[in-house]
Amino acid sequence: MLKLTQYFLRSFRPLLNSWITRFVYFGSNVTIGENFRTDSIPKIIIDPACQLHIGDHVEFRRSVEIRVHGTAQIFIGNKTRIDRGVRLLAANSAKIDIKDGVRIGLYSVLNGGDSITIGNKALVSGFVYLQTSMHGYASKDQAVQDQGYDHAPVVLEEDVWLGTHVVVLPGITIGKGSVVGSNAVVTKNIEQYQVVAGIPAKPLKDRK
């Protein structure tokens, strides 16, 4: 009985959930590729003018949330795995483009008021925050929440690894093959193959 239960949890349930997901979110602006697997039905909220594409051989863990608003787009590449509790938000005219073979760790947030690009085989650990929007705060005569937002894109090139609890601020590009240590706050662009850490993140060495 235990083995049958384990088989169901590992094999049949993700397949069943993928069929239900296809049925629930069937429409011209949502496409799901071959061999999609999900541990639970993802929460998808998508406006009519938006687009969501999930590639082939994609895996979702439990409680994934996807929101696409305005005229935004989200593309999830082939052989990508998105862990439990991840939240993807694309708004305005932003594009979140997650390339092939990406891994996104549990409870990470991609906040796409502007565009976010994640290159092939990048690793995003758990509890990471990619932030493309920042509240205006210049005027002391208005509450911060009433001063709107400034937006700038975030780019992670291929083979980047972000450690746990990393925060990446708007307008940042992290170069190919770079490694960002846990708990770092990235406030400046990072060159290719650099290893950085700290608040704010600073170079420690280069990958050989």
Side-chain angles (χ1 to χ4, degrees):
M1 179 61 73
L2 178 59
K3 289 184 178 180
L4 287 175
T5 301
Q6 290 174 337
Y7 175 80
F8 174 79
L9 293 175
R10 293 176 183 174
S11 301
F12 181 72
R13 188 174 69 177
L15 178 60
L16 175 62
N17 286 335
S18 73
W19 292 338
I20 296 172
T21 300
R22 291 175 189 275
F23 176 77
V24 170
Y25 297 112
F26 176 80
S28 59
N29 61 343
V30 177
T31 57
I32 301 174
E34 297 179 356
N35 198 34
F36 174 61
R37 296 289 187 273
T38 179
D39 289 346
S40 65
I41 311 303
K43 181 178 181 180
I44 299 174
I45 300 173
I46 181 166
D47 292 349
C50 296
Q51 185 177 0
L52 169 63
H53 174 73
I54 300 171
D56 298 334
H57 309 289
V58 172
E59 297 179 41
F60 283 5
R61 301 306 186 195
R62 290 188 287 113
S63 304
V64 172
E65 180 180 355
I66 300 175
R67 293 175 177 262
V68 201
H69 300 303
T71 58
Q73 300 173 307
I74 295 181
F75 296 93
I76 300 173
N78 300 331
K79 298 181 180 179
T80 293
R81 186 173 67 216
I82 296 180
D83 213 331
R84 183 172 74 245
V86 169
R87 187 173 192 254
L88 309 180
L89 168 63
N92 307 314
S93 58
K95 178 181 179 181
I96 294 180
D97 191 2
I98 301 170
K99 304 294 188 180
D100 295 347
V102 171
R103 302 288 184 263
I104 300 179
L106 74 169
Y107 295 105
S108 288
V109 175
L110 278 62
N111 187 9
D114 204 323
S115 295
I116 297 173
T117 302
I118 302 181
N120 293 329
K121 288 199 168 182
L123 291 171
V124 178
S125 299
F127 302 95
V128 166
Y129 202 102
L130 304 184
Q131 174 67 288
T132 66
S133 304
M134 191 68 68
H135 269 291
Y137 61 89
S139 174
K140 65 180 181 180
D141 297 325
Q142 280 185 298
V144 170
Q145 64 176 290
D146 296 330
Q147 296 188 46
Y149 294 91
D150 296 316
H151 306 286
V154 166
V155 177
L156 311 184
E157 296 181 353
E158 65 179 282
D159 191 33
V160 164
W161 176 21
L162 304 184
T164 306
H165 293 282
V166 165
V167 176
V168 180
L169 296 184
I172 297 300
T173 295
I174 299 179
K176 177 180 178 180
S178 293
V179 176
V180 181
S182 296
N183 300 300
V185 177
V186 184
T187 62
K188 295 182 179 179
N189 292 342
I190 298 173
E191 300 295 328
Q192 294 186 359
Y193 298 108
Q194 281 190 332
V195 179
V196 305
I199 303 175
K202 295 181 179 180
L204 300 179
K205 61 182 180 178
D206 292 334
R207 288 179 65 190
K208 302 298 185 183

